[in-house]
Amino acid sequence: MKSYLLPQFAVYRDDDKCIRCKVCVRQCSFGVHAYDDEDDEIRSNESACVGCQRCATLCPTGALVIRQHPHEFRPNANWSEEMLLDVKRKAETGAVTITGMGNDKPHRVYWDHLLLNASQVTNPSIDPLREPMELRTFLGRKPDGLVFKDGRLITDMPPQVMIETPIIFSAMSYGAISYQAQLAFMQAAQELGTLCNTGEGGWPMDFRRFGRNVIVQCASGRFGVDPDYLNQAAIVEIKIGQGAKPGIGGHLPGEKVTAAVAATRMIPEGTDALSPAPQHDIYSIEDLSMLIYALKEATNYEKPISVKIAAVHNAAAIASGMVRAGADIIAVDGFRGGTGAAPRVIRDNVGIPTELALAAIDERLRREGIRNRASILVAGGFRNSADIIKAIALGADAVYIGTAALVAMGCTLCQQCNTGKCAWGITAQDPYIAKRLNPDIATRRLVNLVRAWTLEIKEMLGGMGINSIESLRGNRLHLRGIGLQEWELEVLGVKGAGQ
């Protein structure tokens, strides 16, 4: 069947600059470029180009430019080009369109409509270069009160996990990402004094040495879960849902289930790894509570138990139930949260922005007097340090970053993670492609990113006259909304600018 799909990207090659070094031929894992010996010419198949920019980035003479293809359909307000191409693609394949990297529709990004306060005359600002700034955060349930006797704390404290910066690397499973990428996350988390999340794909045995800096997931597929897996980690997280595909499970194609991935996940090599949509032992809050306490028993009550949900319409009520069920940490993932593979129709039409879910959850837990019983982790498209500090002011204890971390390693959001051909080696399992990602260099790039954002957070805190992130947490008086409607300000719990 002849394809009616037009190329998405155009390849422009400057022949005066091209030296026929064939770097583009070797680096493109999608087979776009090919060298013709007879004509001494490199030709490009634009229909295979996914816009990953790998060839243009590594071209030593800058001879390549990859742009969106200039073809145009007749304008139609009801039928966008994306819709036309999606219909044609389904007509040719009969398959669900898979994509990744979270909702990319132009919905309102509320971080851009929130403005931070700054001290002026009273409560003067603080210079972070001269004064100590405290970003240290403790994750886990806090007691309702503290009792001291003879100057000593006698209250039994629930298990706490300390992180030096409120930035955690989000859940990305081995198999979905390469061995090198997961190693980079763990090395970076250890150096930064923070955490990274294994996702639901198990935890390679040679990575267990990073246990103090690792959150392990117990998801619907139970891949790689055993007592050692639970007890070697700092935190255990029950994954109910994820922002990019709320309500559905996961699917790692058999092509990506190599011998190492299979051993880690405890499944046969080359078989599809299917995560069911529901956890088949959770159909009520009571069921969730049984699993939470089963995990606490399995870890001798020494690990905080987190429960992760997608940001959905009634997230606040669900979070309240989760806290009452015994969760020590609530993790909520908004619809801009990235994932390696999600049906496009789910990604683009299900879930809500993480900003609204976070504000609603924090407000509800405070109103019910149970906010101290759980920390809140929030995920879903954090792009810079300003987004993070606004999330802290809305009530988050710390944030998960996923897409930004992948971009730091080289990702260009070409949304081809599910193909296993990631030209940057981040989500590839082919040893030839995966080795392109040097884990030590990737670690350095991750550490640099988080350190830069941490310094910027300190600068912004100092500008507000605050020297501890604890003083900002949930303090929405430091936020003002701009360009928002009344109902949006009400949900966010902030005043409009000028008020």
Side-chain angles (χ1 to χ4, degrees):
M1 182 188 298
K2 176 176 173 52
S3 174
Y4 295 162
L5 294 170
L6 293 171
Q8 287 185 283
F9 295 92
V11 180
Y12 299 91
R13 183 183 303 276
D14 186 337
D15 281 332
D16 292 335
K17 292 182 178 179
C18 182
I19 56 175
R20 313 298 191 263
C21 64
K22 305 177 195 171
V23 166
C24 56
V25 177
R26 291 192 296 273
Q27 292 295 327
C28 183
S29 51
F30 295 90
V32 173
H33 310 289
Y35 178 67
D36 187 321
D37 284 318
E38 291 186 4
D39 296 336
D40 185 28
E41 186 176 351
I42 297 178
R43 298 194 174 92
S44 301
N45 174 15
E46 292 182 336
S47 63
C49 182
V50 299
C52 73
Q53 304 292 342
R54 175 86 177 177
C55 57
T57 302
L58 297 186
C59 178
T61 60
L64 280 172
V65 175
I66 310 297
R67 292 182 181 149
Q68 282 199 317
H69 203 285
H71 62 69
E72 292 184 359
F73 293 94
R74 181 184 291 275
N76 187 313
N78 195 41
W79 286 90
S80 66
E81 179 180 327
E82 180 182 294
M83 290 179 180
L84 287 173
L85 294 178
D86 193 49
V87 169
K88 291 176 182 291
R89 189 176 294 110
K90 285 186 169 66
E92 293 179 11
T93 65
V96 174
T97 302
I98 301 296
T99 185
M101 290 303 170
N103 189 307
D104 63 357
K105 295 294 171 286
H107 297 299
R108 175 166 283 169
V109 179
Y110 286 95
W111 306 129
D112 294 337
H113 291 266
L114 292 171
L115 301 174
L116 294 165
N117 191 25
S119 296
Q120 295 301 296
V121 177
T122 60
N123 187 27
S125 55
I126 300 170
D127 185 351
L129 297 178
R130 299 173 185 273
E131 305 288 340
M133 306 292 288
E134 183 62 68
L135 297 190
R136 188 169 287 175
T137 300
F138 291 86
L139 300 176
R141 176 183 295 257
K142 310 297 186 295
D144 293 334
L146 298 177
V147 178
F148 292 86
K149 184 177 181 180
D150 300 329
R152 295 175 56 192
L153 177 66
I154 60 172
T155 304
D156 288 333
M157 290 293 292
Q160 305 287 311
V161 173
M162 184 187 73
I163 52 177
E164 298 289 348
T165 180
I167 304 171
I168 300 172
F169 297 118
S170 195
M172 285 170 272
S173 61
Y174 177 42
I177 61 174
S178 64
Y179 179 93
Q180 290 84 345
Q182 193 168 73
L183 175 58
F185 281 126
M186 294 192 181
Q187 291 182 155
Q190 184 181 59
E191 184 170 343
L192 291 162
T194 186
L195 299 161
C196 67
N197 193 314
T198 62
E200 62 175 317
W203 188 14
M205 293 301 293
D206 51 338
F207 290 169
R208 304 282 166 107
R209 64 186 189 277
F210 298 105
R212 287 186 178 182
N213 303 97
V214 169
I215 301 172
V216 294
Q217 275 196 343
C218 179
S220 59
R222 299 287 197 273
F223 297 122
V225 177
D226 62 23
D228 182 70
Y229 172 87
L230 300 173
N231 281 286
Q232 290 295 318
I235 295 173
V236 179
E237 183 172 270
I238 301 169
K239 192 193 84 169
I240 304 293
Q242 62 187 103
K245 45 183 177 180
I248 66 172
H251 177 197
L252 184 70
E255 295 79 14
K256 297 185 77 171
V257 182
T258 62
V261 171
T264 301
R265 292 191 176 225
M266 302 179 185
I267 59 175
E269 180 180 351
T271 60
D272 289 4
L274 299 171
S275 305
Q279 300 232 8
H280 285 304
D281 48 357
I282 301 177
Y283 288 92
S284 67
I285 288 295
E286 290 77 13
D287 291 342
L288 174 63
S289 184
M290 288 180 64
L291 179 57
I292 289 172
Y293 280 94
L295 292 173
K296 288 186 177 187
E297 287 280 349
T299 56
N300 198 30
Y301 290 84
E302 295 175 348
K303 317 284 183 187
I305 305 299
S306 171
V307 180
K308 178 183 177 183
I309 59 169
V312 291
H313 300 174
N314 52 348
I318 297 169
S320 173
M322 289 156 54
V323 174
R324 296 175 191 282
D328 302 306
I329 298 171
I330 302 298
V332 57
D333 191 10
F335 72 168
R336 291 191 183 86
T339 183
R344 183 192 293 272
V345 69
I346 298 291
R347 187 200 69 171
D348 293 348
N349 295 283
V350 183
I352 63 174
T354 197
E355 303 94 313
L356 301 180
L358 166 62
I361 290 172
D362 179 69
E363 192 279 331
R364 173 131 183 183
L365 297 185
R366 288 178 189 275
R367 177 157 44 86
E368 296 182 354
I370 56 174
R371 177 64 181 85
N372 63 297
R373 296 186 192 174
S375 298
I376 298 178
L377 299 180
V378 61
F382 287 96
R383 308 158 300 170
N384 53 51
S385 57
D387 292 352
I388 294 172
I389 199 166
K390 291 170 186 175
I392 302 293
L394 278 182
D397 289 83
V399 306
Y400 273 128
I401 64 167
T403 303
L406 295 177
V407 171
M409 290 198 285
C411 172
T412 54
L413 308 190
C414 71
Q415 304 183 354
Q416 300 297 313
C417 315
N418 60 297
T419 65
K421 298 180 180 178
C422 173
W424 296 89
I426 300 170
T427 64
Q429 294 303 323
D430 181 330
Y432 175 76
I433 304 175
K435 71 179 181 182
R436 294 176 181 178
L437 185 72
N438 183 315
D440 293 331
I441 294 174
T443 299
R444 182 51 42 203
R445 296 179 70 90
L446 291 169
V447 169
N448 286 342
L449 172 69
V450 174
R451 280 192 176 151
W453 282 4
T454 300
L455 291 172
E456 290 177 348
I457 289 172
K458 289 181 178 179
E459 291 280 359
M460 288 183 279
L461 279 178
M464 287 186 277
I466 298 172
N467 63 1
S468 170
I469 203 163
E470 286 288 340
S471 301
L472 180 66
R473 185 161 297 117
N475 190 345
R476 303 182 195 190
L477 292 175
H478 284 288
L479 294 173
R480 289 291 186 273
I482 188 166
L484 298 176
Q485 297 184 32
E486 197 62 36
W487 73 266
E488 293 169 308
L489 293 170
E490 183 178 346
V491 173
L492 291 167
V494 301
K495 296 179 180 178
Q499 292 183 307

